[in-house]
Amino acid sequence: MSPVNPREALATEALRLHQRYHTELIERFSVCPWAKPARLAARTRAHVLIDASCESELLKPILDEWAADESVDVAFLIAPRFEGDADAFAGWAASIGATHSDVFLTAPFYPQVSEPAGSIQFLRQTPDPTVQLVRRVRLEEIRAQDPPHYTDIFDVDLRKLEANEAPCEVAVSVVAHNERMIKREGRAEIQAIVDDIREDRARTYAKLLPLL
């Protein structure tokens, strides 16, 4: 039996935890109604940064590849060993975004949130610090459907929305949906899902990180 490569094992486990977060939280509750269709259509990518620190310039080949591939609508950079707090990570995410700001919009996702946290921050409790990149063209296509008013997402058939069949005259408020979802499901119940994934991470990484 060949010995386990801890770097490869960490990348595999980080991707597994990332997928748990997306299927058990984001997709289950339609936090982002386009997340599941993008995944099923193979229009997402993810890359795990194994080292504790990584300069944005070193990520250029990966970002260049994603930017050039028009089938990539959403991508994730996962940094399980990032050293720094949420503000430091937000700054690092901004530096990543600056390298390809003409192609992608970026957003930082961080495991811990301060209290009281708004719905956006609360639902962004990823297992590992994560930078999300969304192709600008896709966002512009969605926004082009919007009239200058906003309708609560519960007035829209989510099945049609997930199938990209939302009526063009409706501008969906995802934030409103998420706030109502949290109220309906219960903040404690959603946090329990996050905590279960977090405990999974702690158990898994306790075996791997000492080997790096």
Side-chain angles (χ1 to χ4, degrees), residues 17-18 27 49 125 164 167 195 206:
L17 293 164
H18 172 78
E27 294 183 11
L49 307 175
Q125 295 182 79
N164 199 28
D195 290 343

Side-chain angles (χ1 to χ4, degrees), residues 59-179:
L59 295 171
K60 189 175 185 302
I62 296 170
L63 297 175
D64 285 349
E65 179 182 344
W66 287 346
D69 185 351
E70 294 185 0
S71 71
V72 179
D73 286 344
V74 184
F76 302 93
L77 292 171
I78 305 167
R81 300 177 66 201
F82 180 83
E83 298 176 347
D85 60 14
D87 289 339
F89 186 72
W92 184 73
S95 72
I96 296 295
T99 64
H100 289 74
S101 60
D102 58 327
V103 179
F104 295 114
L105 286 173
T106 59
F109 288 62
Y110 198 75
Q112 291 84 33
V113 294
S114 58
E115 292 295 340
S119 61
I120 295 175
Q121 291 76 20
F122 179 66
L123 294 170
R124 284 186 177 180
Q125 295 182 79
T126 46
D128 291 305
T130 301
V131 181
Q132 181 190 55
L133 301 97
V134 181
R135 189 172 293 274
R136 284 181 177 272
V137 170
R138 297 295 170 262
L139 287 178
E140 290 168 0
E141 289 174 353
I142 293 169
R143 290 169 178 167
Q145 299 177 1
D146 292 348
H149 69 276
Y150 288 86
T151 301
D152 193 286
I153 199 169
F154 278 94
D155 294 332
V156 180
D157 186 328
L158 280 179
R159 289 170 296 183
K160 290 185 177 181
L161 182 60
E162 290 185 344
N164 199 28
E165 297 174 1
C168 292
E169 69 272 11
V170 176
V172 178
S173 173
V174 174
V175 173
H177 161 64
N178 289 338
E179 290 176 348

Side-chain angles (χ1 to χ4, degrees), residues 20-29 31 123 190 194:
R20 277 199 66 186
Y21 166 78
H22 272 270
T23 56
E24 296 177 29
L25 182 62
I26 302 300
E27 294 183 11
R28 175 182 173 185
F29 299 112
V31 171
L123 294 170
I190 296 171
V194 173

Side-chain angles (χ1 to χ4, degrees), residues 164-208:
N164 199 28
E165 297 174 1
C168 292
E169 69 272 11
V170 176
V172 178
S173 173
V174 174
V175 173
H177 161 64
N178 289 338
E179 290 176 348
R180 290 180 62 169
M181 181 274 291
I182 292 171
K183 183 176 180 180
R184 182 183 70 248
E185 301 294 335
R187 198 176 182 95
E189 286 71 13
I190 296 171
Q191 186 63 50
I193 296 171
V194 173
D195 290 343
D196 185 68
I197 299 173
R198 186 173 292 163
E199 290 167 6
D200 182 359
R201 178 191 188 276
R203 289 191 304 269
T204 302
Y205 287 7
K207 301 174 185 177
L208 292 174

